[in-house]
């Protein structure tokens, strides 16, 4: 009888589906202190996790753990090699959050382009029409560089094209013909893409290869006055360098949903920069997005125990081969 531990609450529809599955029991841990985790994981055979670190320490008190389902697509806080060593698959919600995050990226671009925050403040202060009016502009006709052409990046590219933007894609892991076949231009190098772009939006994972890739050199390669959006991972960006580029005006504005340290710490250099729109890592957290991610996690867990796991949802696929 698989016992599933939810590290934080799940969408009601997803939890109901899990509880309705014959033979499954469910426990929710709201306070993820080590003491509570140790107690819950005495029985836990599967977990659905959001932000709790899953590392060697966690695994040391999880003797029955058979699968980790990540509520989202990023897995920075999960020690994948340690899971693999123990034969435990890690799944993600590969398709569930793509639409929500893509729309959020577009929202950040539109908020910047139309100066929503300033106009809202002006309206509330009875500053009507042209009084202290900031400069606004259309997205149509501007060039957007999409860094990473996965599920989310692909959706952003299609949405941006619908707004009339000229979309350029850089992704060294995606064939040029794939990008061109989708109707977009391909930048062979990052520098080539940055030199063209009025906007840069990040949609790639953060790993040992690219952590901190948005550094002073990256930002200097952007067109003067270009704008930057990140809804991927905060650890892609060296925040001191971005803050400096924003203060100098070389980067005209930024829209950020993710940060190097989360929750944001008081000494984050971006907090004191006025030309930044920030949200607290909530791009995927729409009602529909939370439901889709919850149901995806539940589906992965149920299918795992039935021996029918969807390989496309598994990060460490080598575990599946070794477990056969």
């Amino acid at each position: 009888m698989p016992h599933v531990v939810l590290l934080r609450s799940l969408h009601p529809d997803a939890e109901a589906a899990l509880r309705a599955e014959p033979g499954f029991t469910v426990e929710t841990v709201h306070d993820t202190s080590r003491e509570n985790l140790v107690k819950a994981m005495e029985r836990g055979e599967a977990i659905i996790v959001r932000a709790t670190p899953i590392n060697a320490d966690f695994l040391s008190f999880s003797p029955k753990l058979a699968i980790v389902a990540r509520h989202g697509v990023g897995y920075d806080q999960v020690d994948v090699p340690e899971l693999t060593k123990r034969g435990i698959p890690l799944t993600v919600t590969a398709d569930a959050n793509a639409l929500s995050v893509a729309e959020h990226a577009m929202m950040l671009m539109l908020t910047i382009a139309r100066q929503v925050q300033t106009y809202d403040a002006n309206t509330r202060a009875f500053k009507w029409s042209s009084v202290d009016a900031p400069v606004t502009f259309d997205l149509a006709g501007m060039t957007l560089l999409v860094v990473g052409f996965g599920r989310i990046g692909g959706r952003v590219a299609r949405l941006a094209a619908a707004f009339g933007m000229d979309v350029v894609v850089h992704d060294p892991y995606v064939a040029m013909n794939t990008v061109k076949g989708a109707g977009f231009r391909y930048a062979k190098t990052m520098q080539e893409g940055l030199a063209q772009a009025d906007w840069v939006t990040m949609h790639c994972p953060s790993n040992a290869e690219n952590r901190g890739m948005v550094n002073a050199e990256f930002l200097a390669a952007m067109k003067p006055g270009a704008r930057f959006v990140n809804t991927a991972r905060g650890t892609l960006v060296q925040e001191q360098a971005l803050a400096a580029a924003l203060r100098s005006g070389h980067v005209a504005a930024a829209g950020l949903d993710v940060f190097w340290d989360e929750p944001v710490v008081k000494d984050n250099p971006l907090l004191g920069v006025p030309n930044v729109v920030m949200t607290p890592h909530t791009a995927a957290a729409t009602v529909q997005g939370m439901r889709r991610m919850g149901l995806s996690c539940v589906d992965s867990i149920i299918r795992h125990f039935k021996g029918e796991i969807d390989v496309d949802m598994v990060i460490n696929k080598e575990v599946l081969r070794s477990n056969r």
Side-chain angles (χ1 to χ4, degrees), residues 11-224:
H11 189 280
D13 289 353
E15 185 168 339
L18 187 57
R19 291 186 182 277
E21 189 67 21
F24 281 70
T25 57
V26 182
E27 175 183 359
T28 302
V29 179
H30 297 286
D31 176 2
T32 56
S33 64
R34 192 177 190 279
E35 180 183 0
N36 287 344
L37 291 175
V38 169
K39 183 178 179 180
M41 293 311 298
E42 290 176 358
R43 297 175 56 206
E45 296 174 65
I47 59 172
I48 296 179
V49 60
R50 294 193 199 176
T52 305
I54 307 301
N55 48 30
D57 178 58
F58 183 95
L59 295 173
S60 70
F61 53 75
S62 308
K64 298 182 179 181
L65 186 61
I67 180 173
V68 174
R70 168 74 175 97
H71 193 278
V73 293
Y75 46 92
D76 308 52
Q77 297 276 31
V78 180
D79 189 335
V80 180
E82 193 64 33
L83 287 183
T84 303
K85 187 190 305 182
R86 297 170 188 249
I88 302 170
L90 167 67
T91 65
V92 294
T93 58
D95 298 301
N97 70 345
L99 173 61
S100 302
V101 177
E103 287 189 357
H104 197 91
M106 294 303 301
M107 179 275 295
L108 289 172
M109 286 196 281
L110 286 164
T111 298
I112 292 168
R114 295 304 178 94
Q115 293 288 314
V116 173
Q117 291 174 300
T118 300
Y119 270 118
D120 177 79
N122 282 359
T123 304
R124 294 173 189 275
F126 304 103
K127 296 178 181 178
W128 195 252
S129 188
S130 61
V131 179
D132 296 332
V135 175
T136 63
F137 47 88
D138 300 330
L139 294 181
M142 290 192 154
T143 298
L144 172 68
L145 173 63
V146 178
V147 180
F149 197 63
R151 292 176 175 88
I152 298 172
R155 279 187 176 271
V156 170
R158 293 193 295 274
L159 289 172
F163 272 83
M165 301 186 81
D166 175 25
V167 179
V168 181
V169 172
H170 174 71
D171 190 329
Y173 302 102
V174 175
M176 180 189 301
N177 288 341
T178 300
V179 174
K180 288 186 173 181
F184 309 117
R185 294 197 291 120
Y186 184 83
K188 292 182 179 180
T189 66
M190 185 72 77
Q191 287 69 25
E192 178 187 341
L194 292 173
Q196 302 175 60
D198 302 300
W199 292 86
V200 177
T201 182
M202 307 298 294
H203 300 289
C204 55
S206 175
N207 52 39
E209 181 181 347
N210 63 13
R211 190 164 290 114
M213 66 184 288
V214 181
N215 54 19
E217 181 181 2
F218 180 108
L219 295 162
M222 290 174 61
K223 287 172 59 176

